[in-house]
Amino acid sequence: MVQNTYTEPLPAVDLTAKTPAFAVQVAPVVERIVAFLGSRAKACSLPLSDSTVSPLELASPNKAGDRPHTTFTRAQVVAIAREVVAIMSERPSPSDVRGRVPSYWLGSKAPVRDLAKALTLTYTPSKGKNADVELNAAGHCVAAYRRDVKRLNKTNTLAATLKSGDGWFAVGVLDNKGEPRAYTSEKKARKAFCRLKYTVYAADGKTVLETWYDTDKANRLATAEVYAQADSVGKADQGRVSRFAASTLDDLSPPAVRALAKKAGAPKRTHTGKGATARSRQWFSDDITRLEGVMTPQ
């Protein structure tokens, strides 16, 4: 009998090295999935958590750098692959990748061999920290998807904080609309005030010459001018906050919107099938409070 090598743990993480791009971190996982799909093995161990952030969410390593592994059946691995390929086919995945994912690679009837082909695609960013570095396309696309979901998480957490009247503000700190920027805690508001008042920039206005915590950090934090939402003149406009959350939802990728609708309890007919993205957006728009509690910290 041929030994199933897909149940052996993947190598430990080097905790002494700088954390690489998400696409680099998940590359070994994607490679194992591709190899497994091309085999006759019935089980595969992957270092993935049960987080709902993304289908390739890595489990946290222990002090030795080992990530806990979970054993998946063939059907479960195929389902993960289908979800990843779906993410690759839509925004915010780069157009270069989307253009290389044909429609017959998508959906429940897509052949497994085509799923494997999709997962072997590569992508080379033209800008950013990984400019001119060839990355696993699946990992790069899922990384962009994760950023979308986490941005909504942050927005929704803030909206819930303001709705309960527990927000904090820093004197002089405004958002891009010129309104007082809200924070979820007094500590964050104090840091925001210090960043605004004490950070020293070069003539270009971007290069930081001195951070607010380089000198007298404790005293600066203690004397920062902040105020609680309850002490402000009038409570924050929850309607405005909810509309902001909805506008953030509009910026999310289609897979993220559908996944959120499913998590929020939308009927199956809302988040599945042709036109599911539009129905999911409408479902949230009909009652924006459905966003509350959907995105909890992972």
Side-chain angles (χ1 to χ4, degrees):
M1 179 180 293
V2 178
Q3 183 178 5
N4 181 5
T5 59
Y6 305 110
T7 56
E8 295 296 322
L10 289 170
V13 180
D14 182 2
L15 299 178
T16 63
K18 183 179 179 180
T19 303
F22 180 80
V24 176
Q25 295 183 58
V26 299
V29 178
V30 176
E31 290 172 3
R32 171 165 285 193
I33 291 176
V34 171
F36 174 73
L37 293 178
S39 73
R40 292 187 176 183
K42 297 182 179 180
C44 180
S45 291
L46 300 170
L48 301 179
S49 72
D50 59 357
S51 168
T52 57
V53 171
S54 81
L56 292 180
E57 207 63 21
L58 295 169
S60 299
N62 59 22
K63 293 182 179 180
D66 297 306
R67 298 185 189 274
H69 285 55
T70 299
T71 300
F72 295 87
T73 64
R74 174 165 287 273
Q76 289 174 319
V77 175
V78 170
I80 291 173
R82 292 193 194 283
E83 190 173 353
V84 172
V85 177
I87 290 173
M88 296 171 67
S89 72
E90 299 179 297
R91 291 179 50 248
S93 297
S95 58
D96 174 70
V97 177
R98 300 199 307 267
R100 288 184 283 153
V101 180
S103 59
Y104 58 84
W105 285 8
L106 304 170
S108 59
K109 295 183 179 180
V112 171
R113 63 177 179 276
D114 289 334
L115 298 178
K117 289 179 183 177
L119 298 182
T120 59
L121 294 177
T122 60
Y123 174 70
T124 304
S126 60
K127 57 184 179 180
K129 295 181 179 180
N130 299 299
D132 301 322
V133 177
E134 186 178 75
L135 302 172
N136 173 263
H140 181 79
C141 293
V142 171
Y145 170 89
R146 293 170 78 243
R147 285 193 294 271
D148 265 2
V149 173
K150 290 185 176 183
R151 187 169 71 250
L152 181 63
N153 175 15
K154 183 177 180 180
T155 300
N156 194 49
T157 299
L158 178 58
T161 300
L162 291 175
K163 184 176 181 180
S164 64
D166 297 324
W168 282 83
F169 300 85
V171 174
V173 179
L174 307 176
D175 61 20
N176 55 11
K177 294 183 179 180
E179 298 182 26
R181 182 179 295 278
Y183 294 91
T184 56
S185 69
E186 179 182 359
K187 182 178 180 180
K188 290 182 178 180
R190 288 185 179 279
K191 287 184 176 180
F193 178 86
C194 292
R195 280 195 300 270
L196 176 66
K197 184 173 181 178
Y198 300 114
T199 303
V200 179
Y201 294 93
D204 60 9
K206 296 180 180 180
T207 305
V208 176
L209 300 178
E210 181 181 342
T211 65
W212 66 267
Y213 49 81
D214 287 338
T215 305
D216 203 17
K217 177 181 177 181
N219 183 58
R220 287 177 172 179
L221 282 173
T223 57
E225 298 178 39
V226 300
Y227 58 95
Q229 182 179 348
D231 298 328
S232 62
V233 179
K235 297 278 184 169
D237 178 5
Q238 178 57 27
R240 177 176 60 82
V241 174
S242 294
R243 288 192 296 275
F244 176 59
S247 65
T248 303
L249 183 68
D250 289 338
D251 293 334
L252 291 184
S253 63
V257 174
R258 296 195 296 270
L260 286 173
K262 180 180 179 181
K263 186 178 180 182
K268 186 175 181 180
R269 63 180 179 276
T270 298
H271 58 79
T272 59
K274 186 176 181 180
T277 300
R279 289 194 299 276
S280 296
R281 291 188 193 281
Q282 185 59 50
W283 187 77
F284 279 119
S285 297
D286 291 342
D287 183 0
I288 198 62
T289 60
R290 288 167 172 164
L291 278 173
E292 295 179 9
V294 173
M295 290 309 305
T296 53
Q298 300 294 326

